[in-house]
Amino acid sequence: MSQQPAHEGLPQNIPLQALPLEQLDKLRQNTERELDYLNQTLATLSTASRRFSASKSTALDLQAGVDAAASAAASSAAAPPPPPTLVPITPSMYVPGRMVDPGTLTVDLGTGYYAEMNPKQAAGYFERKVEAVRVQMEIAQGNATQKRQQLEAISIVIQGKMQQQANAQGAS
C-alpha cells in the first residue's frame, strides 16, 4: 500500500504572475461570471427578504385586528366586520374577498406545503425566514467581496503583463 501526499488531488495555489496572459484572461472571465452570479443571488435574496418582511408586517396588522375584535367582543360592542381584501388569482389578477376568520392564516411553507397559523405564529415564522435570508445574504456578500478582490488582483497582473509586452515590443 503506497502512501500518497495529503495534498494530492487538491487544487494548488499558483501565483498569478506565473500564468500566461491567455490563462489570466480566462480566469478573469470566469471570476467575472462568478461575481455576476453572486450579485444575482444577492438581488434574489434581497427580494425574498422584502417579501418575508411584508408578510410579517401584514400578519402583525391582522393580529392587531384580531386583538381589537376580541376586546370589542369582551365589552359587548359590535365587532367590526373583517376588512375587504384582494385575493390573487394570478400574479396580476385579483378578486375582492373577505376573510372568514382573520385569526387563522394559511402560510405557504414552500414546495407545495402549507400550514395554518394564527397571525402571531405567522409573524414569528416570517421573522425567522427574514433572519435566515439575512445570514445567507451576509455569506453571499462576503463571497462577492472576495471575488471582487480576486478580480482586481487578476486585472492588475494582466495590466502588468500587457505593459511588459508593450515595453518588450517597443525595445525591439
Side-chain angles (χ1 to χ4, degrees):
M1 183 163 123
S2 65
Q3 289 285 340
Q4 294 181 349
H7 58 70
E8 189 171 312
L10 295 176
Q12 300 295 315
N13 288 335
I14 299 173
L16 292 175
Q17 292 287 350
L19 295 174
L21 199 53
E22 297 81 24
Q23 283 185 330
L24 284 170
D25 190 48
K26 287 181 182 180
L27 182 60
R28 180 187 53 81
Q29 291 173 0
N30 189 40
T31 304
E32 285 174 344
R33 279 193 299 274
E34 290 174 4
L35 184 58
D36 287 344
Y37 175 76
L38 285 168
N39 287 332
Q40 290 172 356
T41 299
L42 281 167
T44 301
L45 289 170
S46 179
T47 300
S49 179
R50 283 192 304 276
R51 287 183 179 172
F52 288 136
S53 292
S55 294
K56 175 188 168 193
S57 177
T58 300
L60 290 173
D61 290 346
L62 286 171
Q63 182 63 46
V66 168
D67 292 343
S71 69
S75 67
S76 299
T85 187
L86 293 175
V87 179
I89 300 299
T90 69
S92 60
M93 187 173 25
Y94 300 84
V95 295
R98 288 198 184 273
M99 294 181 68
V100 175
D101 180 10
T104 303
L105 304 175
T106 302
V107 176
D108 183 356
L109 303 176
T111 63
Y113 290 95
Y114 299 88
E116 284 192 359
M117 301 179 187
N118 65 42
K120 189 174 182 179
Q121 291 169 325
Y125 169 78
F126 290 121
E127 178 60 33
R128 290 188 300 278
K129 294 297 277 185
V130 167
E131 179 61 21
V133 169
R134 184 192 63 75
V135 168
Q136 291 302 312
M137 285 178 71
E138 286 177 1
I139 292 169
Q141 186 64 48
N143 290 340
T145 299
Q146 183 181 13
K147 287 295 173 189
R148 277 189 211 94
Q149 291 169 348
Q150 289 173 355
L151 186 58
E152 186 177 329
I154 294 166
S155 295
I156 289 170
V157 171
I158 288 174
Q159 288 174 352
K161 285 194 175 246
M162 290 177 76
Q163 185 66 38
Q164 285 176 349
Q165 283 182 350
N167 291 343
Q169 287 177 353
S172 318

